[in-house]
Amino acid sequence: MNYKLLYQWEAEVTGHLSCLNSWQGANVALFSYGVVKAESCQQGQVARQVCCGEGVESAARRWRRFLGNDDFPLDEFFLSWCAWVVSALGQTELTLLVDETKVHDRIGVMMVGLAWEGRCIPLAWRTYRANSAQDYPAEGQVGMIAGLLQRVKDGLPEAVRVLVLADRGIGTSPDLCRAVAALGWRYLFRVTCQTKVVSADGDYTIAQQVQPGEIWAMSGSVFKKRGQIPAHARALWSLGYDEPWALVTNDAHLTGYEYARRNWQEQSFRDLKSGGWHWGESRVRHPEHMARLLVLLVLAYAWVLALGSQAVASGRAQPLVKRADGTRRRLWSLFKEGLRFFAEYVQRYTVCLGLSFLPDRRFT
């Protein structure tokens, strides 16, 4: 293990996450570093990467003690983590993505993340037993999401402008529209194909207003039977897609194409699961333990994304490739670039670099 690199990373973590005590900060740094090295969330594999000063089983026990530590200040962590990430990005306009995922049939996770460069950086989350109405958060889906969004807002500077995206399983909700608007934020939600917009000219089923290749817009009110919320409807049916997007927003300036960024959260779930830390293979069964495991996985993930952006900025990334239509795309995602950059540069030369998110200028 590269102790100098670990100590540099620990200084980054403890310097920005002052809500953690010394034991918590040291373990968050150690095990997030171990996740990157092991490319796994399995305690045995991570323990083998960080056990140089102790036995493998001792490192594994320390891992289990961390996950079982009920005194870990998760809410305070969310505040500090949001502030750190947004400060490192240096942006005044943010897009937040909201979605739910599951680890097998055991644990559900509602997650709020920040869209950036084709990926999503998780900012706050709630864990609970999956497929159990009895164990679902008592405040319900909207209340749970509103609480997460409020935690994120509490960690953001006042000057930022926020747009929230959600898929139809979450976004077809007048209560969630109201909750986001009450935060002073904009929303762009996909809704079901049956959702209508009501205008002075009549009622229009949003999804039925377009054919492949067409777009459509109208202002009016939505959710006629559940509040009649003033909103702007958008319908887009891009060529090659099986069905259109039916969208509602409280910002008349949005075209609807901004919703494409919601897929970035799916890409990040894939990175966290099969493509990166193998979160889907986790054997953690307690929701509270899973919430603390995510602290480690998310820090490791954000670090690798930042390193991928630094690989691009330093000219060490894979060159762009041309599509048939002449546009260019990345050969590798920033996550994959970051993993290689970590192995070939960061570890080799002991340069931590930290959470420095650099935009990809090759597309400008």
Side-chain angles (χ1 to χ4, degrees):
M1 183 167 67
N2 187 330
Y3 280 103
K4 289 185 178 180
L5 179 60
L6 171 62
Y7 296 151
Q8 290 176 23
W9 177 235
E10 183 176 340
E12 282 277 320
V13 170
T14 56
H16 288 90
L17 303 177
S18 57
C19 60
L20 307 183
N21 63 34
S22 58
W23 182 86
Q24 293 164 346
N27 280 285
V28 165
L30 176 69
F31 290 128
S32 58
Y33 171 78
V35 167
V36 177
K37 287 197 67 180
E39 296 186 30
S40 172
C41 70
Q42 297 296 314
Q43 69 172 22
Q45 295 185 46
V46 174
R48 285 191 288 274
Q49 295 294 330
V50 300
C51 68
C52 295
E54 58 187 345
V56 173
E57 184 52 36
S58 294
R61 283 197 299 269
R62 184 140 59 104
W63 169 277
R64 292 194 294 271
R65 285 197 300 272
F66 173 81
L67 297 188
N69 178 20
D70 291 333
D71 292 329
F72 187 87
L74 191 61
D75 284 342
E76 290 81 359
F77 166 81
F78 290 149
L79 297 180
S80 298
W81 176 237
C82 291
W84 184 8
V85 170
V86 173
S87 174
L89 284 171
Q91 296 179 350
T92 58
E93 294 216 7
L94 307 176
T95 299
L96 299 181
L97 310 178
V98 181
D99 203 1
E100 182 184 41
T101 189
K102 293 180 181 179
V103 180
H104 299 292
D105 60 349
R106 298 195 303 269
I107 296 178
V109 182
M110 185 67 71
M111 187 172 285
V112 175
L114 177 59
W116 187 71
E117 293 282 346
R119 287 300 185 268
C120 177
I121 304 170
L123 296 180
W125 50 87
R126 181 79 175 271
T127 55
Y128 39 87
R129 295 197 181 279
N131 305 321
S132 171
Q134 180 180 355
D135 296 308
Y136 198 79
E139 64 270 35
Q141 185 181 79
V142 173
M144 174 172 52
I145 294 171
L148 291 173
L149 293 174
Q150 183 63 60
R151 290 188 183 98
V152 171
K153 183 175 182 178
D154 291 343
L156 301 181
E158 293 184 2
V160 297
R161 192 163 179 253
V162 177
L163 171 65
V164 181
L165 307 182
D167 201 357
R168 53 192 162 186
I170 292 173
T172 310
S173 168
D175 290 337
L176 187 58
C177 293
R178 295 187 190 99
V180 174
L183 292 170
W185 292 349
R186 301 169 297 152
Y187 60 80
L188 179 62
F189 293 162
R190 188 174 182 183
V191 292
T192 61
C193 292
Q194 294 77 37
T195 302
K196 295 183 178 181
V197 58
V198 180
S199 72
D201 298 327
D203 299 3
Y204 296 87
T205 302
I206 301 171
Q208 294 179 359
Q209 306 309 308
V210 290
Q211 295 297 317
E214 296 179 348
I215 61 175
W216 177 84
M218 175 171 283
S219 298
S221 62
V222 294
F223 307 118
K224 182 177 180 179
K225 297 181 180 180
R226 293 184 290 162
Q228 297 189 22
I229 296 176
H232 310 282
R234 303 286 185 265
L236 299 84
W237 196 339
S238 298
L239 295 175
Y241 284 74
D242 295 332
E243 58 182 354
W245 290 343
L247 308 167
V248 297
T249 179
N250 59 345
D251 185 350
H253 296 95
L254 297 180
T255 65
Y257 286 106
E258 299 87 353
Y259 182 77
R261 281 172 272 176
R262 204 213 64 82
N263 179 258
W264 298 359
Q265 193 162 38
E266 300 296 336
Q267 302 300 322
S268 288
F269 283 152
R270 185 187 65 183
D271 291 341
L272 290 168
K273 292 180 177 179
S274 59
W277 306 152
H278 302 282
W279 180 30
E281 299 173 13
S282 170
R283 298 178 183 177
V284 173
R285 294 184 176 273
H286 297 285
E288 295 79 8
H289 294 186
M290 182 63 78
R292 291 185 279 274
L293 173 61
L294 277 168
V295 170
L296 307 177
L297 303 188
V298 166
L299 257 72
Y301 185 61
W303 189 18
V304 170
L305 289 181
L307 292 177
S309 74
Q310 294 161 26
V312 170
S314 62
R316 293 181 171 88
Q318 294 291 315
L320 298 176
V321 295
K322 275 191 175 183
R323 297 187 179 95
D325 61 3
T327 60
R328 295 179 298 168
R329 64 171 179 85
R330 296 188 184 97
L331 180 62
W332 288 0
S333 70
L334 288 183
F335 179 66
K336 189 173 181 180
E337 294 283 9
L339 286 175
R340 188 178 75 163
F341 192 57
F342 178 83
E344 293 185 351
Y345 184 80
V346 174
Q347 282 204 118
R348 182 178 298 173
Y349 299 106
T350 314
V351 182
C352 177
L353 298 174
L355 290 192
S356 179
F357 298 99
L358 305 177
D360 192 337
R361 303 293 187 188
R362 296 175 299 177
F363 292 100
T364 58

